[in-house]
C-alpha cells in the first residue's frame, strides 16, 4: 500500500485529459485523500502538450513534485517528454499504438474498451481508480454528477465503459499502486480561482466586468454561470480599458464591483486605477500573474507583476494588495478586499498566479459564520442640500452616497475638485484634496494582515515567501527539518507593517527569500524596512511553479 502517489496524465488539448483528471481528483477527495493538482497547458485550443498532475496522499500534500509514480500517456509525446521523470518502480499506462520499451509498462486497450474516442478518458478513469484501489461506487457517483444533466443513456454508456475498465484492471492483478485506506472526511475540490470566486460571492459582489485573459478568465465565467440566482451581472467588455471603467461606473452607481485580468490586460487598465483613486471609488481588481513581458508564456506561472500592481496608475493615492497562498486564503482575503475597498474608498487588489489559479486542492468547507458583511455606502443625509461627496474629514474618508437613491446630488470628477465634486484648479484645494486622499492610507494600515509564521521561535534559516509559494515552502521546511527551518509567509504584500516581521527577520541566522520571479520583487520591498545580516535568494522564472525539491536543491543546510 502506498501512502502517496504522483500521477501525471499527458496528452493533447482535446483528448479529454482534464475531464479524466478532474473526475479522478473528485473521486480521490471523496475517498478521503489529500490532493494537489498542477495543470500545465499550452496557449492553443487543440493540440500542444498538456499535463494534469494529480498528487494524492494519506497525509497532507502542499505542492507539486517532479518525480512520477504513474504516467498516463495519451500520446507519444508524453512518453518522450516525461519518461525521464519516472521513479524506479513507476508505472507507465499507454495505448498499444504508443511506442515504448522497458519495464514498468502496461498497455491499456483504450480503443477496445471505449465505443468511441469520446469515452477513452473514462477508460483511463476506470483503470486508474481500480489501480489505486478506490471503491468503484465512488467514480460511478462522480460520473453521475458530471453527466447527470445530459441524457440518461450518456450516463449509462459512461458507466458501462467504467465497468469494462475496472474489469480489465482486475484481470491484470496489479495491486502495487493501491493507496492506503484513510478515514478522513471528504472536503471541497477547489482551485485558487474558486476560492476567489466564492469569497466574492460571500462579499456580495453583484457586478464583474472583464476581457478574457488567462489565468483569470475562469473567475467571470464561473460568476456568469453560477451567479445569476444571486443577481450578479457579468459583462465581457470590448477591451480591458472598457472593462475597468465599467466596473468603476457600476461602483459609482452602487454595485459591489470587481474586475479580473492578468498582467498584460492590467497594463491597459492602469489609467482606470488612477480614475478609481481620484474619484475615490471602491473596486476590487484580481490580477492573475503569468510570465511576461508582453505575451511571454501566457499559460505558465510567475510572480512577476507585483511591481506593476504596486506602482500602477499615475498620481498618488493609497491601495492595498493581498496575495493568497491557497483557496482558503483566496476566500478570506477576497471578502476582506471588498470590505477594505469600501472603507478606504479606492482600489484594492487580489494578486494570484496561474499555478494557484488552476491548482485543485481538497479544502475543508468554509466557516461562513466568520464572514462579516463588507461595509456599504450610506443611504441618507440629514440635509440633502449640504451633502458633499468629497467633504474634508479627519480620516480622509468622505461620506459616500449612491446617486438617485435620495434627494441629494452626487458629483464625481476625474479632474481635481472641490469637496462638492465640481472641477477646480484652485491650488489650495488641490493640496487639501491630495492630503485627504493620502490620509486614507491610515485606514488601510490599521488593518494590515500580519504574515503567518511556521516553525520554532529561533531558527538558523528563515524562508520568506508570499502568495502561492506557501505550500512548496512548507514542504521544503518539512523535509529539511522543522527545527532547522522556519517559514514566514505574507498574504498582504502592501502596505507593510514592519512591526509584524522586523524582529522575526532580525533574529534569524539567515534569511532566504523565495519567489517565482527573476528580480526578487517582494524581497526588495521588504529590504526597504529590514535588511537582514545574512540573506539569500531562491528564484524561479522558467514558467513552472516552485516545489520543495527545487527549494531544497538550492538551500545549503550544512
Amino acid at each position: 500500500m502506498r501512502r502517496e502517489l504522483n500521477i501525471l496524465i499527458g496528452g493533447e488539448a482535446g483528448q479529454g485529459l482534464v475531464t479524466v483528471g478532474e473526475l479522478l481528483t473528485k473521486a480521490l477527495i471523496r475517498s478521503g485523500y489529500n490532493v494537489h493538482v498542477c495543470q500545465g497547458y499550452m496557449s492553443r485550443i487543440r493540440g500542444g502538450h498538456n499535463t494534469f498532475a494529480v498528487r494524492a496522499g494519506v497525509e497532507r500534500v502542499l505542492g507539486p513534485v517532479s518525480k512520477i509514480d504513474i504516467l498516463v500517456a495519451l500520446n507519444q509525446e508524453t512518453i518522450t517528454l516525461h519518461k525521464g521523470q519516472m521513479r524506479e518502480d513507476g508505472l507507465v499506462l499507454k495505448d498499444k499504438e504508443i511506442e515504448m520499451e522497458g519495464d514498468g509498462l502496461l498497455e491499456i486497450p483504450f480503443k477496445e474498451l471505449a465505443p468511441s474516442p469520446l469515452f477513452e478518458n473514462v477508460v483511463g478513469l476506470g483503470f486508474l481508480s481500480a489501480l489505486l484501489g478506490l471503491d468503484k461506487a465512488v467514480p460511478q457517483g462522480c460520473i453521475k454528477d458530471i453527466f447527470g444533466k445530459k441524457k440518461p443513456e450518456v450516463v449509462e454508456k459512461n458507466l458501462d465503459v467504467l465497468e469494462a475498465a475496472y474489469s480489465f484492471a482486475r484481470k491484470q492483478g496489479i495491486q502495487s499502486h493501491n493507496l492506503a485506506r484513510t478515514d478522513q472526511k471528504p472536503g471541497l475540490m477547489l482551485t485558487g480561482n474558486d476560492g476567489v470566486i466564492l469569497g466574492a460571492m460571500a462579499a456580495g459582489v453583484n457586478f464583474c466586468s472583464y476581457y478574457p485573459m488567462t489565468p483569470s478568465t475562469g473567475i467571470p465565467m464561473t460568476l456568469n454561470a453560477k451567479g445569476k440566482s444571486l443577481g450578479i451581472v457579468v459583462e465581457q467588455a470590448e477591451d480591458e480599458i472598457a472593462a475597468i471603467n465599467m466596473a468603476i461606473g457600476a461602483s459609482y452607481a452602487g454595485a459591489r464591483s470587481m474586475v479580473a485580468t492578468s498582467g498584460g490586460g492590467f497594463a491597459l487598465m492602469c489609467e482606470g486605477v488612477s480614475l478609481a483613486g481620484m474619484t475615490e471609488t471602491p473596486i476590487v481588481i484580481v490580477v492573475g500573474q503569468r510570465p511576461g513581458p508582453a505575451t511571454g508564456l501566457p499559460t505558465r506561472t510567475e510572480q512577476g507583476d507585483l511591481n506593476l500592481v504596486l506602482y500602477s496608475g499615475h498620481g498618488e493615492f493609497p491601495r492595498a494588495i493581498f496575495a493568497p497562498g491557497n483557496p482558503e486564503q483566496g476566500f478570506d482575503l477576497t471578502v476582506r478586499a471588498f470590505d477594505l475597498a469600501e472603507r478606504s474608498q479606492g482600489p484594492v487588489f487580489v494578486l494570484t498566479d496561474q499555478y494557484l489559479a488552476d491548482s485543485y486542492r481538497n479544502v475543508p468547507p468554509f466557516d461562513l459564520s466568520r464572514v462579516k458583511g463588507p461595509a456599504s455606502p450610506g443611504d441618507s443625509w440629514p440635509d440633502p442640500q449640504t451633502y458633499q461627496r468629497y467633504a474634508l474629514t479627519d480620516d480622509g474618508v468622505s461620506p459616500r452616497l449612491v446617486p438617485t437613491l435620495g434627494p441629494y446630488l452626487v458629483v464625481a470628477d476625474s479632474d481635481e475638485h472641490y469637496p462638492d465634486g465640481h472641477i477646480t484648479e484652485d491650488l489650495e484645494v488641490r493640496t487639501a484634496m491630495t492630503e485627504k486622499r493620502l490620509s486614507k492610507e491610515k485606514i488601510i494600515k490599521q488593518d494590515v494582515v500580519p504574515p503567518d509564521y511556521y516553525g520554532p521561535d529561533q531558527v538558523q534559516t528563515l524562508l520568506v515567501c508570499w502568495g502561492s509559494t506557501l505550500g512548496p515552502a512548507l514542504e521544503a521546511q518539512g523535509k529539511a527539518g522543522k527545527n532547522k527551518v522556519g517559514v514566514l509567509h505574507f498574504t498582504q504584500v502592501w502596505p507593510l507593517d514592519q512591526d509584524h516581521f522586523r524582529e522575526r527577520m532580525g533574529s534569524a541566522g539567515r534569511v532566504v527569500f523565495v519567489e517565482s520571479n527573476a528580480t526578487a520583487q517582494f524581497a526588495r520591498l521588504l529590504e526597504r524596512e529590514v535588511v537582514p545580516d545574512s540573506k539569500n535568494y531562491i528564484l524561479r522564472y522558467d514558467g513552472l511553479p516552485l516545489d520543495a525539491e527545487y527549494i531544497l536543491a538550492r538551500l545549503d543546510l550544512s
Side-chain angles (χ1 to χ4, degrees):
M1 291 285 184
R2 305 293 185 98
R3 299 193 68 81
E4 181 182 320
L5 287 170
N6 187 35
I7 305 155
L8 189 139
I9 306 167
E12 297 179 357
Q15 284 191 293
L17 79 166
V18 173
T19 301
V20 64
E22 289 181 343
L23 283 167
L24 177 66
T25 304
K26 191 180 289 287
L28 284 162
I29 291 175
R30 290 185 179 184
S31 299
Y33 294 103
N34 295 297
V35 172
H36 179 282
V37 172
C38 194
Q39 296 191 62
Y41 51 95
M42 302 183 78
S43 180
R44 59 194 71 177
I45 303 301
R46 298 188 69 85
H49 179 63
N50 293 3
T51 59
F52 196 98
V54 184
R55 185 182 175 199
V58 176
E59 287 77 28
R60 194 77 173 153
V61 289
L62 299 172
V65 292
S66 59
K67 289 294 183 182
I68 301 170
D69 298 289
I70 301 173
L71 177 64
V72 183
L74 299 181
N75 63 2
Q76 188 69 51
E77 189 178 23
T78 299
I79 299 290
T80 303
L81 293 175
H82 299 287
K83 63 182 180 182
Q85 294 174 245
M86 297 300 299
R87 295 189 190 278
E88 288 186 2
D89 59 350
L91 184 63
V92 176
L93 311 181
K94 69 177 191 64
D95 190 88
K96 61 184 178 183
E97 295 180 358
I98 295 175
E99 297 180 359
M100 182 179 178
E101 296 181 351
D103 298 328
L105 284 175
L106 186 60
E107 290 187 352
I108 302 177
F110 283 96
K111 292 180 173 54
E112 295 174 19
L113 296 174
S116 78
L118 288 175
F119 296 89
E120 289 182 11
N121 51 13
V122 178
V123 173
L125 170 67
F127 192 89
L128 281 169
S129 299
L131 183 64
L132 302 179
L134 304 186
D135 184 340
K136 188 168 60 179
V138 178
Q140 284 176 334
C142 295
I143 285 176
K144 291 175 183 175
D145 289 347
I146 295 294
F147 300 110
K149 294 180 182 178
K150 299 182 179 180
K151 296 178 180 178
E153 53 266 34
V154 174
V155 176
E156 291 303 317
K157 283 185 179 179
N158 278 285
L159 291 177
D160 290 344
V161 173
L162 185 80
E163 177 61 40
Y166 255 83
S167 177
F168 175 80
R170 280 197 295 270
K171 291 177 183 176
Q172 308 308 307
I174 298 175
Q175 296 182 330
S176 59
H177 288 72
N178 280 187
L179 279 166
R181 297 294 179 189
T182 171
D183 57 0
Q184 177 175 278
K185 291 182 179 178
L188 305 174
M189 173 180 158
L190 298 180
T191 63
N193 270 353
D194 291 333
V196 171
I197 291 164
L198 292 172
M201 287 180 166
V205 64
N206 51 18
F207 184 84
C208 176
S209 49
Y210 75 109
Y211 185 77
M213 197 162 190
T214 303
S216 64
T217 307
I219 294 173
M221 296 293 285
T222 303
L223 286 175
N224 186 48
K226 307 291 185 183
K228 291 180 180 176
S229 62
L230 300 176
I232 301 173
V233 175
V234 179
E235 177 71 19
Q236 178 179 332
E238 64 267 33
D239 56 39
E240 286 87 350
I241 299 172
I244 191 167
N245 287 333
M246 279 184 183
I248 292 170
S251 182
Y252 169 74
R256 191 154 284 166
S257 187
M258 71 181 291
V259 293
T261 186
S262 185
F266 180 68
L268 295 171
M269 294 183 175
C270 288
E271 187 172 4
V273 175
S274 288
L275 180 61
M278 177 56 111
T279 59
E280 302 185 45
T281 305
I283 183 172
V284 173
I285 303 169
V286 182
V287 180
Q289 299 169 97
R290 65 190 209 186
T295 312
L297 295 172
T299 59
R300 304 297 177 177
T301 197
E302 200 164 272
Q303 293 179 305
D305 293 332
L306 173 58
N307 285 340
L308 172 65
V309 171
L310 178 59
Y311 301 111
S312 61
H314 52 286
E316 298 170 299
F317 53 93
R319 70 194 68 194
I321 307 173
F322 297 110
N326 53 43
E328 301 99 304
Q329 293 178 353
F331 177 85
D332 292 336
L333 293 171
T334 303
V335 173
R336 182 183 284 262
F338 275 95
D339 178 59
L340 187 58
E342 182 63 45
R343 288 193 291 114
S344 64
Q345 296 185 12
V348 175
F349 297 88
V350 178
L351 194 55
T352 68
D353 54 52
Q354 183 271 330
Y355 161 57
L356 175 65
D358 292 333
S359 295
Y360 284 106
R361 330 276 177 101
N362 58 301
V363 177
F366 299 132
D367 180 6
L368 296 179
S369 66
R370 294 189 295 108
V371 178
K372 298 179 181 177
S376 297
D379 55 9
S380 65
W381 192 252
D383 179 5
Q385 298 301 318
T386 64
Y387 175 68
Q388 293 184 322
R389 172 65 186 92
Y390 302 108
L392 297 173
T393 60
D394 291 340
D395 62 2
V397 179
S398 305
R400 189 170 93 90
L401 299 181
V402 175
T404 76
L405 295 185
Y408 42 78
L409 183 63
V410 181
V411 180
D413 201 306
S414 65
D415 283 61
E416 194 54 271
H417 39 255
Y418 288 109
D420 66 3
H422 287 96
I423 186 172
T424 182
E425 293 192 23
D426 183 314
L427 302 187
E428 290 187 2
V429 173
R430 160 65 183 180
T431 300
M433 281 295 165
T434 299
E435 292 171 353
K436 163 190 150 48
R437 288 188 289 270
L438 290 176
S439 68
K440 293 191 297 179
E441 189 164 5
K442 289 183 291 188
I443 302 293
I444 298 174
K445 283 191 170 180
Q446 285 172 357
D447 206 21
V448 170
V449 182
D452 296 312
Y453 177 69
Y454 307 84
D457 288 339
Q458 295 292 327
V459 288
Q460 180 60 32
T461 299
L462 178 66
L463 301 181
V464 178
C465 59
W466 61 284
S468 69
T469 53
L470 172 62
L474 288 178
E475 285 216 341
Q477 178 201 33
K479 292 180 179 179
K482 291 186 177 179
N483 292 328
K484 293 183 177 179
V485 176
V487 174
L488 189 65
H489 176 253
F490 287 77
T491 57
Q492 181 164 357
V493 292
W494 188 259
L496 298 167
D497 183 343
Q498 62 173 281
D499 288 342
H500 290 159
F501 54 86
R502 179 179 52 220
E503 182 176 350
R504 180 75 63 191
M505 287 178 58
S507 64
R510 175 181 59 156
V511 173
V512 181
F513 297 100
V514 182
E515 297 187 51
S516 289
N517 58 56
T519 55
Q521 293 184 22
F522 185 60
R524 306 299 182 196
L525 201 57
L526 279 179
E527 287 169 7
R528 293 184 190 175
E529 313 287 341
V530 179
V531 180
D533 292 335
S534 175
K535 60 185 180 182
N536 298 91
Y537 306 94
I538 295 177
L539 307 173
R540 185 166 196 174
Y541 40 93
D542 59 2
L544 298 177
L546 281 157
D547 58 55
E549 297 162 66
Y550 187 96
I551 295 171
L552 289 171
R554 291 155 181 80
L555 189 64
D556 182 6
L557 293 172
S558 58

